Amino acid sequence: MGLRLPSKVLEHILSFIDSNEDRNSVSLVCKSWFETERKTRKRVFVGNCYAVSPAAVAKRFPEVRSLTLKGKPHFADYNLVPDGWGGYAWPWIEAMAAKCPSLEEIRLKRMVVTDECLEKIAASFKDFKVLVLTSCEGFSTDGIAAIAATCRNLRVLELRECIVEDLGGDWLSYFPETSTSLVSLDFSCLDSEVKISDLERLVSRSPNLKSLKLNPAVTLDGLVSLLRRAPQLTELGTGSFAAQLKPEAFSKLSEAFSNCKQLQSLSGLWDVLPEYLPALYSVCPGLTSLNLSYATVRMPDLVELLRRCSKLQKLWVMDLIEDKGLEAVASYCKELRELRVFPSAPDLDEANIPLTEQGLVFVSKGCRKLESVLYFCVQFTNAALLTIARKRPNLKCFRLCVIEPFAPDYKTNEPLDKGFKAIAEGCKDLRRLSVSGLLSDKAFKYIGKHAKKVRMLSIAFAGDSDLMLHHLLSGCESLKKLEIRDCPFGDTALLEHAAKLETMRSLWMSSCFVSFGACKLLSQKMPRLNVEVIDEHPPETRPESSPVERIYIYRTVAGPRMDTPEFVWTIHKNPEIGVSHLAIK
Amino acid sequence: MRGVSELEVGKSNLPAESELELGLGLSLGGGAWKERGRILTAKDFPSVGSKRSAESSSHQGASPPRSSQVVGWPPIGLHRMNSLVNNQAMKAARAEEGDGEKKVVKNDELKDVSMKVNAKVQGLGFVKVNMDGVGIGRKVDMRAHSSYENLAQTLEEMFFGMTGTTCREKVKPLRLLDGSSDFVLTYEDKEGDWMLVGDVPWRMFINSVKRLRIMGTSEASGLAPRRQEQKDRQRNNPV
């Protein structure tokens, strides 16, 4: 009766299925489908490196070619996760080296990567092609040199916002002298100067190079010489633009840029003097992505640049653009899909920029394709949020950071509940939401009720009580990642919705009111959750009802991890072990 | 809201020792822990909406934390934060030299400044700080400070209060610089030597500091004494 699909046929069918979500579904059909799927999966994504053991992954997917891993919780970006928490790449590299020698691509985010790891990668994977490290730390330029020297087929080497122990610019000279297969090189986060002649020669012998992101140590002269050698670039991250303005320098730069006819993405531009911006005018009409978020250029100069960028889809900029500048963007950049506006002053006290909610309203009205927003602003209004929601129901990602904590609608003095309600209700495809400003529990009732597709939610300084968490955990069906800081609730809602936590990737709560007792209970009752208490003081030395500093809860099939530092406490699953030995260090 | 389907919070399921109170309005333990549960509320911040004229009143004893003093707020990544701080340092440097908007600076001078600035971006501006007896280390941005006093104040705030909250009221100040407390502030310089903080000019210090450590005074006796008349403390390192 049962027709069995020959595995070769199934394999062929599966070769058309790329999406991992689909493949996950396929693998649940029956054992033989599971087997065929696992043997044919080429790209593996692990959103939390502690959710599953490296050995299990390596064993299950022997043919993996591309591995993507994420380590620390997102709030580590803002210094909320103490150093030494974890996220070590080594066990993964080791496991992969042992079982999956055909691995070609490794992408790591927020992980601790050592030189040893990099050397192991270089030594173990013969056809290694792609290394992308985002927000990683723990390695030095020696490790990079090992990769450069050994991986003969290296195509992509990108260090994005990593913290690297910079031992000098020599690493660049380790690339083989023969022509390289480099397609993308990003060393923008490194500090020290590389020898420009090394870089020039590397670029000259990399005919496939399409993306080059330099570090600030590369001068304008260097940039000119590189552009001359690589006019085929589609993505460029400049070095520092700080240099005395000389007419010949300017015209050389201008000419170099005008020869880059395929440039689509531009970033870097550290310290750019406004006088140099006209050199970029020739590439503006072709740009789809522009990152000016490190360029301390003021509004009039910015607008001169932006009004030429009619094809722009992605714009990152500082609040120096002001409302007026955003109004111009709204009228010139009709293709805009993503806007990020960052603060230009780290301290609120120095902020005196005429950027208000109006800027975002302009862009929402003028840019029909806008779907992703990150906006830092001192204060906001409900009315603006309502307008944004009404005009842009197609928003997928909305991250508003009202810099002043607890700031109400500054015109009506009300909480921003109504505004975020409109966003949650109106933007039906919203996947990512960050809220801020003064918010009561009501806001979260609305979000719980309407934000059915939100997968990631970030909350700070908000809410009144446990109800807030209750609304979110009972309402947001698609919620996968929830991160909360400084909100006045904890235990009850957490325990009530414990089962929900298993449907999510992770929950982070810091400076809230979660007690150690609740953490214990949660951990004991939910075998497939790791409940980590991150607190410098041993929780057992305090009353069980006292709050812990931080908790990080995530689902896992790997059990409690063994690499926790002294300030991370995992609670033993077996209550019979007893209270005094509850924590495993 | 006490409806619990997945979890029984009835006593029969809990180990005898733990008597959990899971009510809303968490009762904090007594004693030292009274302070720890305090999180920042609207009262802690200068009045919202007003411009920064309120800051003159903000430094008297139990001053509320400015939003920039709250750890991790505003939520800007490390690289960007460093860049912002450096921009301010450069602005300040230019202001000091009293130049106008379009001063023509000599090529190497500017290169010098930008190299110095760029040398400090992205990670190097922040140095690690560890305090004896405290498990979690912190990071402090050297570029965001202008003097030893400034730095000491930040460190004192950092290590005597919860991260993310500050409870200066009930706590004995650290007084790291005047030798009167149980702790001294030391640093590791580029050569790997540990020195007492405060001896060299500030600028020289920030260019050579690699790491900071708040050390118990008894341990610090191996370091070069800052003053001839050191007050001898016989206490052990507090834990």
Side-chain angles (χ1 to χ4, degrees), chain A residues 370-372 389 392-398 422-433 450-456 478:
Chain A
L370 187 70
E371 54 181 32
S372 173
R392 293 277 65 78
N394 51 326
L395 280 175
K396 293 212 168 73
C397 167
F398 188 73
I423 295 279
E425 230 182 336
C427 306
K428 303 218 183 298
D429 282 331
L430 201 61
R431 303 226 184 257
R432 184 168 177 182
L433 177 63
H450 297 287
K452 291 306 179 189
K453 292 211 180 146
V454 163
R455 296 170 56 95
M456 181 167 178
S478 309

Side-chain angles (χ1 to χ4, degrees), chain A residues 346, chain B residues 82 85-86 88-89 125-126 140-147 150-151 154 202 206:
Chain B
N82 265 322
V85 169
N86 281 322
Q88 301 210 301
F126 280 81
V140 65
D141 189 351
M142 299 307 293
R143 286 271 146 195
H145 295 88
S146 52
S147 68
N150 210 202
L151 175 65
T154 300
W202 173 252
I206 55 177

Side-chain angles (χ1 to χ4, degrees), chain A residues 11 42 85 94 104 142 156 164 192 257-258 262 332 345 450 574:
Chain A
E11 262 180 52
K42 299 278 189 297
W85 171 84
E94 210 184 6
E104 296 175 356
D142 281 352
V156 173
V164 184
S192 41
F257 269 107
S258 62
Q262 298 178 45
Y332 293 117
H450 297 287
N574 187 348

